[in-house]
Amino acid sequence: MNSGKYVFSQLLDFVNKYEFEKFVKKYNGNHRVRDLNCWNQFIQLFFGQLTSLNSLRDICLCLKAHNNKLYHLGIKSYVNQTTLSRANENRDWQIFADFGQYLIEQIRPLYQNSEISNIELDNEIFALDSTSISCSINLLTWAEGKYSRGAVKVHTLLDLRGSIPAFILVTDGKYHDSNVLDVISFVPDAIYLMDKAYVDFEALYKIHLINAFFVTRAKSSMKYTTVEQNFNIDQNTGLRADKTVELTVVKSRKLYPEKIRLVEYYDSQNNNYLIFMTNNFEVTALEIAYLYKNRWQIETFFKWIKQNLSIKKFWGHSSNAVKTHIWIAICTYLIVAYVKKKVKSELSIYQVMQILSISAFDKTPISQLLNGFQINQNVNELQFNLFNEI
């Protein structure tokens, strides 16, 4: 069916242009457009992300060099760097954000049966964290970070079943991590894994009230009194305590009036004593520790996108251009994840991305390209030390 079609053109067959155009129409994205409509802007930037090009200049240079192939790649025509840059600055970034959210809704169900290491729970399990991307405060004046430096933050809620992002928020570097808890729509019965930066008792209590669960690290300054303790624990597993507590500081107790569970764990390998805080009293103490261990997946996700997508150096300076850039990078990741499932490839998303990135001008059918050989995968090759403080 794909005989004679370039791999990049085959990839575009997996992208629903009809749904994309709905968002273009919603935000009037093609108003007074002559040379470069939103769809062609998207696929040219998608080409840049897929092939790991570092700038708009590089994208335009490569496409100009293959000008006679653009039609067969699915690209309407070559444009210069200025036209592409102007589109990034002026086209509403929400077009690409909404399309990214559409892709998330289509792709997450494909991975819903993926296993999570040492976890046998049926709940939806998410990891919440952010990553900072350094930038020049002189060029990106809106992106203020710490210590008079520039930074852009990408806040991510990652579905651990398949490592598919469920929520993305792009802000400046001064936006506090815990503020994102007021923006996310939490799901009942889901489990949310977070680090200490998200210990906001008012927000955590809202999670508790909708019957969702959180697992995070307790701050050393937290004051509490123990009301119940489980002494039937196996210390050979690393567990040291499992107790139910109540907050004693008046302000904290007013914000979170319910009981909280504390699970203490000793990581002998790194000589690290950890205290986990949760509102989940249904699972075992060891499962709480294992749940938090799996938070490493979001660190791996951040490392993956920084190494395999072009987001370390932005393709524009305005807030609109940066958000457009990041959302198209996320869309690229999602499309690759979608293709992997649709062709039933046993390769990892990382491996699929590596193959596709050097095969854009190849004419091999994608299913044959991704299923024509076997690779012994080392599932631990990108894992971080699970209990190290990030």
Side-chain angles (χ1 to χ4, degrees):
M1 182 177 69
N2 290 314
S3 177
K5 292 185 69 173
Y6 291 113
V7 165
F8 186 76
S9 180
Q10 294 177 52
L11 280 174
L12 293 181
D13 291 339
F14 290 91
V15 183
N16 193 325
K17 183 179 178 182
Y18 174 75
E19 292 294 334
F20 180 86
E21 294 296 344
K22 283 184 180 180
F23 302 118
V24 174
K25 185 175 181 180
K26 177 180 177 180
Y27 296 101
N28 202 20
N30 286 333
H31 181 61
R32 294 185 177 180
V33 170
R34 289 186 298 178
D35 298 326
L36 183 71
N37 61 23
C38 291
W39 173 248
N40 273 273
Q41 176 192 0
F42 172 79
I43 60 179
Q44 290 191 34
L45 296 178
F46 172 51
F47 174 85
Q49 290 292 344
L50 185 72
T51 54
S52 300
L53 298 176
N54 292 321
S55 67
L56 297 182
R57 187 185 303 276
D58 291 347
I59 295 172
C60 294
L61 177 66
C62 291
L63 293 178
K64 184 178 181 180
H66 294 281
N67 191 43
N68 61 331
K69 301 177 182 176
L70 295 188
Y71 176 81
H72 301 287
L73 287 174
I75 298 174
K76 183 178 179 182
S77 62
Y78 156 77
V79 296
N80 59 36
Q81 176 191 352
T82 303
T83 301
L84 193 55
S85 176
R86 190 181 297 118
N88 288 352
E89 297 286 340
N90 298 324
R91 304 270 173 82
D92 196 332
W93 64 273
Q94 280 288 163
I95 296 171
F96 309 102
D98 285 11
F99 184 62
Q101 198 60 48
Y102 162 78
L103 291 175
I104 288 170
E105 293 170 0
Q106 299 302 306
I107 295 165
R108 275 188 58 210
L110 300 178
Y111 287 85
Q112 64 183 357
N113 294 324
S114 299
E115 295 183 355
I116 303 175
S117 178
N118 294 319
I119 301 298
E120 297 181 357
L121 303 175
D122 294 329
N123 309 61
E124 291 182 279
I125 303 176
F126 301 93
L128 176 62
D129 208 345
S130 69
T131 187
S132 293
I133 304 170
S134 299
C135 61
S136 170
I137 190 62
N138 295 323
L139 296 176
L140 282 74
T141 56
W142 59 274
E144 294 184 358
K146 294 181 179 180
Y147 314 116
S148 301
R149 299 173 183 172
V152 174
K153 270 189 177 182
V154 182
H155 306 265
T156 304
L157 183 67
L158 191 72
D159 188 342
L160 296 193
R161 301 190 190 280
S163 293
I164 303 299
F167 170 87
I168 298 284
L169 178 67
V170 182
T171 68
D172 61 73
K174 283 192 173 181
Y175 190 93
H176 196 279
D177 286 348
S178 64
N179 291 339
V180 79
L181 296 173
D182 298 324
V183 183
I184 295 174
S185 297
F186 294 98
V187 180
D189 294 323
I191 300 174
Y192 296 88
L193 314 176
M194 301 168 277
D195 63 16
K196 290 181 182 180
Y198 297 91
V199 178
D200 177 337
F201 286 117
E202 183 177 9
L204 293 178
Y205 190 55
K206 290 178 181 177
I207 297 175
H208 176 75
L209 290 178
I210 67 165
N211 296 319
F213 305 104
F214 60 82
V215 178
T216 184
R217 293 275 302 280
K219 292 184 176 180
S220 58
S221 59
M222 189 176 80
K223 307 297 182 183
Y224 60 87
T225 180
T226 302
V227 296
E228 185 179 350
Q229 184 162 351
N230 176 18
F231 294 99
N232 187 26
I233 59 174
D234 183 1
Q235 295 204 0
N236 292 325
T237 62
L239 292 173
R240 292 296 180 265
D242 179 14
K243 50 192 176 184
T244 303
V245 305
E246 290 180 343
L247 301 175
T248 55
V249 176
V250 174
K251 182 179 179 181
S252 299
R253 186 162 184 173
K254 183 178 180 180
L255 295 175
Y256 199 104
E258 300 289 335
K259 296 175 181 178
I260 294 177
R261 184 182 186 184
L262 294 183
V263 174
E264 299 178 17
Y265 183 94
Y266 176 65
D267 177 17
S268 58
Q269 184 176 354
N270 298 289
N271 192 28
N272 211 359
Y273 198 89
L274 307 160
I275 302 178
F276 305 117
M277 181 174 69
T278 182
N279 65 330
N280 193 325
F281 292 86
E282 299 174 4
V283 302
T284 67
L286 193 57
E287 283 178 313
I288 295 296
Y290 285 155
L291 279 167
Y292 194 84
K293 277 186 178 183
N294 280 280
R295 203 187 68 83
W296 67 266
Q297 288 191 36
I298 195 166
E299 305 296 344
T300 302
F301 172 77
F302 288 144
K303 181 178 180 181
W304 192 97
I305 62 173
K306 286 182 176 181
Q307 289 181 340
N308 296 278
L309 298 174
S310 297
I311 63 171
K312 288 183 179 180
K313 183 179 179 181
F314 294 120
W315 294 343
H317 299 152
S318 71
S319 174
N320 192 85
V322 169
K323 290 178 180 179
T324 295
H325 181 168
I326 291 175
W327 269 106
I328 289 180
I330 296 299
C331 287
T332 302
Y333 176 86
L334 293 168
I335 291 168
V336 171
Y338 182 71
V339 170
K340 165 183 158 54
K341 276 295 182 181
K342 283 300 181 179
V343 302
K344 300 179 180 178
S345 174
E346 295 297 323
L347 303 177
S348 68
I349 296 177
Y350 167 80
Q351 291 167 334
V352 172
M353 184 73 178
Q354 295 303 304
I355 293 171
L356 294 178
S357 67
I358 62 168
S359 305
F361 295 99
D362 194 83
K363 291 187 177 182
T364 307
I366 286 181
S367 58
Q368 179 180 333
L369 195 65
L370 301 181
N371 292 312
F373 54 89
Q374 296 292 326
I375 289 183
N376 293 323
Q377 299 183 56
N378 180 6
V379 297
N380 294 315
E381 63 182 348
L382 291 178
Q383 290 190 14
F384 288 84
N385 195 319
L386 305 185
F387 280 131
N388 277 355
E389 183 68 20
I390 302 301

